[in-house]
Every structure is written in structure tokens, then in C-alpha cells.
Amino acid sequence: MSALAELQALLGEGGLLQSPAHDLSAYENDWRGRYQGRALAVARPANTEQVAAVLRCCAKHGLSLVPQGGNTGLVGGGVPDGSGQQILLSLQRMQAVRGVDAHNLTLTVEAGCTLQAVQDAAEAHGLLFPLSLASQGTCTIGGNLATNAGGTQVLRYGNARELCLGLEVVTAQGEIWQGLSGLRKDNTGYDLRDLFIGSEGTLGIITAATLKLFARPRAQMTALAACPDLDSALGLLSLARGQAAAALTGFELMNAFSLSLVRRHFPQLQQALPPCPWTVLLELSDSEGEAHAQAQFEAILSEALTQGLITDAAVAQSLAQSQTMWHLRESIPLAQSKEGLNVKHDIALPLSRIPAFVRETDAALTQAFAGIRMVNFGHLGDGNLHYNVQAPEGVPPAEFLSRHEAAINQIVYEAVQRYEGSISAEHGIGQLKREELAARKSPVALGLMRAIKTALDPQGILNPGRML
Ligand SMILES: Cc1cc2nc3c(=O)[nH]c(=O)nc-3n(C[C@H](O)[C@H](O)[C@H](O)COP(=O)(O)OP(=O)(O)OC[C@H]3O[C@@H](n4cnc5c(N)ncnc54)[C@H](O)[C@@H]3O)c2cc1C
């Protein structure tokens, strides 16, 4: 029997989609429209046993697979190549919530649950799953773990890795590793869970996860603050951390140009502060209640005004105002894509070195490419910047990208290396940064990574050409 006939028999009605009978474009093109591939077929298993059977079939026929969750990844890791020979393995049918253990503060869900559905399942039990991304209505928990996603609450709760206690994984040979432990302590050998988290589908298929839950804060309050420069924004972060400690759950940075893009493309969104060089969004999650959070904000912001760290501030007075403030921040990626393709950098730096990095790299870039526009925003509390370069006004973005992307990357990534940062803070490597990883990671680290890949996937059928 041919591989496709075998897969069809394994997966049944609706389990295998093929062109031209089905339109596969939603699976074959990435969110940014940068990668367009062609799949041999889309396999849509409904449970872990079916995933294992698909892997065994692909291993037998030497077919490679590209796992995909919500297809919101930004580095081309979850779409097939152009060969038309890869199986796209979609986890989207696996959406069961397998159980909540309220005493253990854990939730076990299947990989295809959207992040929003995971948050809702926690909330239904009066608990909190804090991972939070602008793409949460579409991205899946499997994709979040495969990319070790970050988002807006890392400052307080950590990234996806820190929120996961156990995994169920199907190996390249089609075996099922049952590691759905809800244990907070388990020192029994190599940590397999941590090996699969962040491996971007190159070592195994995540089919389910046991996640950490938290008590819900009694109040959540948001404020915007205007900072004259990046040193002041960092000063504000230290002040807010000192006064609010673990209650500080968000500290997001937006430069003037990124907010001007939101103003241009989403004029209906109200901006509480007039334009200023840097705007910071702060969030406090308070276990004592609204009045306490309000008092804390007043203390932090008035001290910041006195110290000259901020020039203006607005505290949300209602849930609607708070949502509008978050909406501003979360609309930046969409406003950017409406403006046209840009050169993206998702970088991490030691916090203390961010102002000097930005000053130096902005100057180098504007000197090399007159008229470019810097879209600089991100999770400043985690040292994570989305440091993007938009074409000069009036220059066709695609043309600018094809002519200058490599040179821009060179300037930015060399500066990142000099400042002891990372070329990928939260989006992963995928296809987009594969060559950069090879050029910038130490030979010892690359050798260890290749040894792990060969040991777990000797045929090289899991997401080939991604990451390594
Ligand atoms: C508007 C917007 C905002 C975003 N904001 C953030 C942000 O703040 N922080 C952040 O970290 N990311 C952010 N992202 C990026 C993206 O949402 C995350 O990378 C997310 O974790 C990807 O999940 P997904 O289900 O869409 O994965 P996909 O895009 O489908 O896949 C991503 C990678 O994981 C692999 N994969 C997917 N599922 C599995 C599985 N079950 N087993 C093994 N491998 C798998 C794929 O092969 C691919 O390599 C944003 C994206 C958008 C569009």
C-alpha cells in the first residue's frame, strides 16, 4: 500500500487532506506571508495513538513531517518546504482538556488546545494559567511549548518552559513517552521534558502537557507612563520592582514610531498619552484588592515623576480602559504588517545594557540606511526587544527587504553578540534564523545539539531543515 493510502486508512474520514480536493493554503503559508510551501498531504490525527501510527508510517516510508499547531509562528518553523513531499502534521483536532487537579494546581490538556482555551479551562476552576500572547486565540499549547513561548507575563511567571510540569510525546519512531507528571520535584535522570520544550518539532511531537496553575490575583491594574529615554524606562522598572515586588506582572515598552503605526492603522484605538519618545505599559496583579493596587501605582508613579523618570502617566480607571491599553501594545505587530514587511529581530539582552545597545545600533543602522524607521517594542521587563527595521516612507517594503535584509541583520546580530545577548528571545529559530544560529552558536553547543538530534531522530524525518 502507498504511504498516502496507509495514512488515509489510519486516520479515516477527515483525517487526511490532499490537494486539489482540499484547499491546503491555510496550512502551507505562514502568518507573516513570508514562507509559502507545498505539502504532500495534511494529516489530522484525533488522538495520541493516531499520531504514533502516523509517525511509524512516515518512518517506514522515509517521509518527513512538519508538525503544526496554530501556525502563528514567526520564523517559518511550522510550514512545509516547497518540495511537495512533506507531510504536514496538524495537531488541531486534539483539543481535549484531560483533567484539572485543583489541589495540585495542575491542568492536563492536549497539544491542539488554543492558549485561550487553556486559560479559560483554568479560569473555570477559579485558577490562572498565566502564559499570555497576542496570538492566544489561535496559537496552541503544543506550539507554545515547542517554541518555549514568552509573552507578557514572563516577568512574574516565567516562559512556557517554567509553566510546564509534564509532557506526553510521540518519538520519531512512533513510540509514546508518557511523561505527564504533575510533580514539582523529580530528579530521576536526564530531564526529557526540558529537551522537548523549545525543540520546535525537531525531536518529537508533543501531544499533551501538564501545566502549572496559580491563584488568580484579586485585582489587576494597568497604567501607561511616558519616559524621556531608555535609561529612565529602566529606572522606572527598578523602582516598580522595588516597590511592587512580585505584584509587577507586566512591563512593556513601545517607542514613538511603533505607536504612530497603531495610530495610522487603527485610528479608532484611543491613546491615553500624547506622543513621547518611549511609552511603558505597567501591570500590577494584586492579591489584596483594587484599592491596594491603586495606592501602589500612585506611590510608584509619583516617585517616578519626582525622580524625572517619567514625564506623564495614566492609570486605567476601568477594565475597559485597561483593555484598551493592552490593545495598543498588542496591535503593534498587526499595525506593522499593515505598513508592509519589515526586517524583524526578536532579541534578548542583559537589561542594564539595553540603552547603550539601542543608541549604538540605531545610529549604525540610520547611518547605513538613510530614512529607515525603527519599530522598537517588547517585553522590557524580560530584556526582550522586538527590534524591527521598517523601509523608508515611500520605498516598497519587499524591495527594501530583498536588497538590505542581510546587511541589516549583520549589523544587528553583531551588536547583539558584542552585548552578550541572544538572537532569538522567544520566537525560536525555524528557517528564518537557521544560518545565524550556525554562524553564532559555539561549535561545542552546535555539536551537542546535532548529537541529540541524531540520537532521537536518526532518519532526520522530524521537521528537517529547521533550527539545525
Ligand atoms: C500577533 C502575534 C503575536 C505574537 N506574540 C508572541 C509573544 O508575545 N511571545 C511569543 O513567544 N510568541 C509570540 N508570537 C509567536 C507565536 O504565536 C508563538 O511562537 C506560538 O508559541 C506558536 O504557537 P502555534 O501553535 O501557532 O505554533 P506553530 O506556528 O504551528 O508552530 C511553531 C513551531 O512549533 C512546532 N510545533 C507546533 N506544534 C507542535 C507540537 N505539538 N509538537 C511539536 N512541535 C510542534 C512547529 O513545527 C513549529 O516549528 C506571536 C505571533 C503573532 C502572530
Short mmCIF file of all heavy atoms in Angstrom, two decimals, residues 40-77:
data_model
loop_
_atom_site.label_atom_id
_atom_site.label_comp_id
_atom_site.label_asym_id
_atom_site.label_seq_id
_atom_site.Cartn_x
_atom_site.Cartn_y
_atom_site.Cartn_z
N LEU A 40 2.61 17.37 0.78
CA LEU A 40 2.13 16.16 0.10
C LEU A 40 0.69 15.90 0.55
O LEU A 40 -0.19 15.56 -0.24
CB LEU A 40 3.04 14.98 0.45
CG LEU A 40 2.70 13.63 -0.14
CD1 LEU A 40 2.74 13.67 -1.67
CD2 LEU A 40 3.69 12.55 0.36
N ALA A 41 0.46 16.08 1.87
CA ALA A 41 -0.88 15.93 2.43
C ALA A 41 -0.85 16.51 3.84
O ALA A 41 0.21 16.68 4.42
CB ALA A 41 -1.27 14.45 2.49
N VAL A 42 -2.05 16.81 4.36
CA VAL A 42 -2.15 17.26 5.76
C VAL A 42 -2.77 16.13 6.56
O VAL A 42 -3.91 15.71 6.29
CB VAL A 42 -3.02 18.54 5.86
CG1 VAL A 42 -3.24 18.92 7.32
CG2 VAL A 42 -2.38 19.69 5.10
N ALA A 43 -2.02 15.62 7.54
CA ALA A 43 -2.53 14.56 8.43
C ALA A 43 -3.10 15.22 9.67
O ALA A 43 -2.45 16.07 10.28
CB ALA A 43 -1.40 13.60 8.81
N ARG A 44 -4.34 14.84 10.04
CA ARG A 44 -5.01 15.47 11.18
C ARG A 44 -5.45 14.40 12.19
O ARG A 44 -6.62 14.07 12.30
CB ARG A 44 -6.22 16.27 10.69
CG ARG A 44 -5.84 17.36 9.69
CD ARG A 44 -7.05 18.03 9.07
NE ARG A 44 -7.77 18.86 10.01
CZ ARG A 44 -9.01 18.65 10.39
NH1 ARG A 44 -9.70 17.62 9.93
NH2 ARG A 44 -9.60 19.47 11.24
N PRO A 45 -4.50 13.83 12.93
CA PRO A 45 -4.86 12.78 13.88
C PRO A 45 -5.78 13.31 14.98
O PRO A 45 -5.70 14.48 15.34
CB PRO A 45 -3.51 12.36 14.47
CG PRO A 45 -2.59 13.50 14.21
CD PRO A 45 -3.07 14.17 12.96
N ALA A 46 -6.62 12.42 15.51
CA ALA A 46 -7.58 12.83 16.53
C ALA A 46 -7.12 12.44 17.93
O ALA A 46 -7.72 12.86 18.91
CB ALA A 46 -8.95 12.20 16.23
N ASN A 47 -6.09 11.61 18.04
CA ASN A 47 -5.61 11.21 19.36
C ASN A 47 -4.14 10.77 19.28
O ASN A 47 -3.58 10.66 18.18
CB ASN A 47 -6.49 10.08 19.93
CG ASN A 47 -6.58 8.91 18.97
OD1 ASN A 47 -5.55 8.42 18.49
ND2 ASN A 47 -7.78 8.47 18.66
N THR A 48 -3.56 10.52 20.46
CA THR A 48 -2.13 10.24 20.53
C THR A 48 -1.78 8.95 19.78
O THR A 48 -0.73 8.88 19.12
CB THR A 48 -1.71 10.11 22.01
OG1 THR A 48 -2.11 11.32 22.66
CG2 THR A 48 -0.21 9.93 22.18
N GLU A 49 -2.63 7.93 19.87
CA GLU A 49 -2.35 6.68 19.18
C GLU A 49 -2.27 6.90 17.67
O GLU A 49 -1.43 6.32 16.98
CB GLU A 49 -3.42 5.62 19.50
CG GLU A 49 -3.34 5.05 20.92
CD GLU A 49 -3.67 6.08 22.00
OE1 GLU A 49 -4.50 6.99 21.75
OE2 GLU A 49 -3.08 5.97 23.10
N GLN A 50 -3.15 7.76 17.16
CA GLN A 50 -3.10 8.05 15.72
C GLN A 50 -1.82 8.81 15.35
O GLN A 50 -1.23 8.57 14.31
CB GLN A 50 -4.33 8.87 15.29
CG GLN A 50 -5.60 8.02 15.22
CD GLN A 50 -6.75 8.75 14.52
OE1 GLN A 50 -6.66 9.94 14.21
NE2 GLN A 50 -7.84 8.04 14.28
N VAL A 51 -1.37 9.73 16.25
CA VAL A 51 -0.10 10.43 15.98
C VAL A 51 1.02 9.40 15.88
O VAL A 51 1.85 9.43 14.96
CB VAL A 51 0.22 11.47 17.09
CG1 VAL A 51 1.60 12.11 16.85
CG2 VAL A 51 -0.85 12.56 17.14
N ALA A 52 1.04 8.46 16.84
CA ALA A 52 2.10 7.45 16.85
C ALA A 52 2.05 6.60 15.58
O ALA A 52 3.10 6.30 14.97
CB ALA A 52 1.95 6.57 18.10
N ALA A 53 0.84 6.27 15.13
CA ALA A 53 0.71 5.45 13.91
C ALA A 53 1.20 6.24 12.69
O ALA A 53 1.86 5.68 11.80
CB ALA A 53 -0.75 5.02 13.73
N VAL A 54 0.90 7.55 12.65
CA VAL A 54 1.38 8.38 11.53
C VAL A 54 2.91 8.39 11.52
O VAL A 54 3.54 8.24 10.47
CB VAL A 54 0.82 9.83 11.65
CG1 VAL A 54 1.52 10.75 10.65
CG2 VAL A 54 -0.68 9.85 11.44
N LEU A 55 3.51 8.55 12.71
CA LEU A 55 4.98 8.59 12.77
C LEU A 55 5.58 7.26 12.31
O LEU A 55 6.57 7.25 11.56
CB LEU A 55 5.44 8.90 14.21
CG LEU A 55 5.66 10.36 14.61
CD1 LEU A 55 6.98 10.89 14.07
CD2 LEU A 55 4.53 11.29 14.24
N ARG A 56 4.97 6.15 12.72
CA ARG A 56 5.51 4.84 12.30
C ARG A 56 5.41 4.69 10.79
O ARG A 56 6.34 4.20 10.13
CB ARG A 56 4.77 3.70 13.02
CG ARG A 56 5.14 3.57 14.50
CD ARG A 56 4.68 2.23 15.08
NE ARG A 56 3.22 2.11 15.10
CZ ARG A 56 2.43 2.55 16.08
NH1 ARG A 56 2.97 3.15 17.15
NH2 ARG A 56 1.13 2.41 16.03
N CYS A 57 4.29 5.13 10.24
CA CYS A 57 4.10 5.03 8.78
C CYS A 57 5.12 5.90 8.05
O CYS A 57 5.75 5.44 7.07
CB CYS A 57 2.66 5.45 8.45
SG CYS A 57 2.33 5.54 6.70
N CYS A 58 5.32 7.13 8.53
CA CYS A 58 6.28 8.02 7.86
C CYS A 58 7.70 7.47 7.99
O CYS A 58 8.48 7.54 7.03
CB CYS A 58 6.20 9.43 8.45
SG CYS A 58 4.70 10.28 7.95
N ALA A 59 8.04 6.92 9.17
CA ALA A 59 9.39 6.36 9.36
C ALA A 59 9.59 5.20 8.38
O ALA A 59 10.64 5.08 7.74
CB ALA A 59 9.57 5.90 10.80
N LYS A 60 8.55 4.36 8.24
CA LYS A 60 8.66 3.20 7.34
C LYS A 60 8.89 3.63 5.89
O LYS A 60 9.71 3.06 5.17
CB LYS A 60 7.37 2.37 7.43
CG LYS A 60 7.42 1.08 6.65
CD LYS A 60 6.22 0.20 6.95
CE LYS A 60 5.12 0.46 5.94
NZ LYS A 60 3.88 -0.27 6.21
N HIS A 61 8.20 4.69 5.49
CA HIS A 61 8.29 5.13 4.09
C HIS A 61 9.34 6.24 3.88
O HIS A 61 9.45 6.77 2.77
CB HIS A 61 6.93 5.64 3.60
CG HIS A 61 5.90 4.54 3.48
ND1 HIS A 61 5.81 3.72 2.39
CD2 HIS A 61 4.96 4.12 4.36
CE1 HIS A 61 4.82 2.83 2.58
NE2 HIS A 61 4.29 3.06 3.77
N GLY A 62 10.05 6.61 4.95
CA GLY A 62 11.07 7.65 4.84
C GLY A 62 10.50 9.02 4.49
O GLY A 62 11.15 9.83 3.84
N LEU A 63 9.26 9.27 4.94
CA LEU A 63 8.63 10.58 4.66
C LEU A 63 8.91 11.54 5.80
O LEU A 63 8.80 11.16 6.97
CB LEU A 63 7.11 10.42 4.57
CG LEU A 63 6.50 9.96 3.26
CD1 LEU A 63 4.98 9.84 3.44
CD2 LEU A 63 6.82 10.96 2.15
N SER A 64 9.21 12.79 5.49
CA SER A 64 9.43 13.72 6.59
C SER A 64 8.14 14.45 6.95
O SER A 64 7.21 14.55 6.13
CB SER A 64 10.55 14.71 6.25
OG SER A 64 10.20 15.44 5.12
N LEU A 65 8.11 14.93 8.22
CA LEU A 65 6.90 15.55 8.76
C LEU A 65 7.20 16.93 9.29
O LEU A 65 8.26 17.16 9.89
CB LEU A 65 6.42 14.77 9.98
CG LEU A 65 5.83 13.40 9.81
CD1 LEU A 65 6.69 12.43 10.59
CD2 LEU A 65 4.43 13.40 10.34
N VAL A 66 6.22 17.82 9.14
CA VAL A 66 6.31 19.15 9.74
C VAL A 66 5.13 19.28 10.70
O VAL A 66 3.98 19.34 10.26
CB VAL A 66 6.23 20.25 8.66
CG1 VAL A 66 6.29 21.63 9.29
CG2 VAL A 66 7.34 20.07 7.64
N PRO A 67 5.39 19.29 12.03
CA PRO A 67 4.27 19.48 12.95
C PRO A 67 3.77 20.92 12.93
O PRO A 67 4.56 21.84 12.73
CB PRO A 67 4.87 19.15 14.33
CG PRO A 67 6.32 18.98 14.16
CD PRO A 67 6.68 19.09 12.71
N GLN A 68 2.48 21.08 13.11
CA GLN A 68 1.90 22.43 13.13
C GLN A 68 0.77 22.51 14.14
O GLN A 68 -0.04 21.59 14.26
CB GLN A 68 1.35 22.77 11.74
CG GLN A 68 0.92 24.22 11.59
CD GLN A 68 0.32 24.51 10.21
OE1 GLN A 68 -0.88 24.38 10.00
NE2 GLN A 68 1.16 24.90 9.27
N GLY A 69 0.75 23.62 14.89
CA GLY A 69 -0.35 23.87 15.82
C GLY A 69 -1.25 24.93 15.23
O GLY A 69 -2.02 24.68 14.31
N GLY A 70 -1.13 26.17 15.73
CA GLY A 70 -1.99 27.26 15.25
C GLY A 70 -1.41 28.00 14.06
O GLY A 70 -2.04 28.91 13.53
N ASN A 71 -0.19 27.65 13.67
CA ASN A 71 0.50 28.30 12.54
C ASN A 71 0.64 29.81 12.75
O ASN A 71 0.48 30.58 11.82
CB ASN A 71 -0.22 27.99 11.22
CG ASN A 71 0.66 28.31 10.00
OD1 ASN A 71 1.86 28.50 10.13
ND2 ASN A 71 0.05 28.38 8.84
N THR A 72 0.94 30.21 13.99
CA THR A 72 1.19 31.64 14.25
C THR A 72 2.68 31.92 14.45
O THR A 72 3.07 33.04 14.76
CB THR A 72 0.45 32.14 15.51
OG1 THR A 72 1.00 31.47 16.66
CG2 THR A 72 -1.03 31.89 15.42
N GLY A 73 3.51 30.89 14.30
CA GLY A 73 4.96 31.06 14.49
C GLY A 73 5.50 32.09 13.50
O GLY A 73 4.98 32.23 12.39
N LEU A 74 6.52 32.79 13.92
CA LEU A 74 7.01 33.91 13.10
C LEU A 74 8.36 33.62 12.45
O LEU A 74 8.98 34.52 11.89
CB LEU A 74 7.11 35.18 13.99
CG LEU A 74 5.77 35.64 14.59
CD1 LEU A 74 5.98 36.78 15.57
CD2 LEU A 74 4.80 36.06 13.51
N VAL A 75 8.82 32.35 12.51
CA VAL A 75 10.14 32.05 11.95
C VAL A 75 10.11 30.93 10.90
O VAL A 75 11.13 30.34 10.58
CB VAL A 75 11.16 31.69 13.08
CG1 VAL A 75 11.45 32.90 13.95
CG2 VAL A 75 10.67 30.52 13.92
N GLY A 76 8.93 30.62 10.39
CA GLY A 76 8.81 29.62 9.31
C GLY A 76 9.11 28.20 9.78
O GLY A 76 9.55 27.37 8.98
N GLY A 77 8.85 27.89 11.05
CA GLY A 77 9.14 26.55 11.56
C GLY A 77 8.03 25.55 11.32
O GLY A 77 8.27 24.34 11.32
#
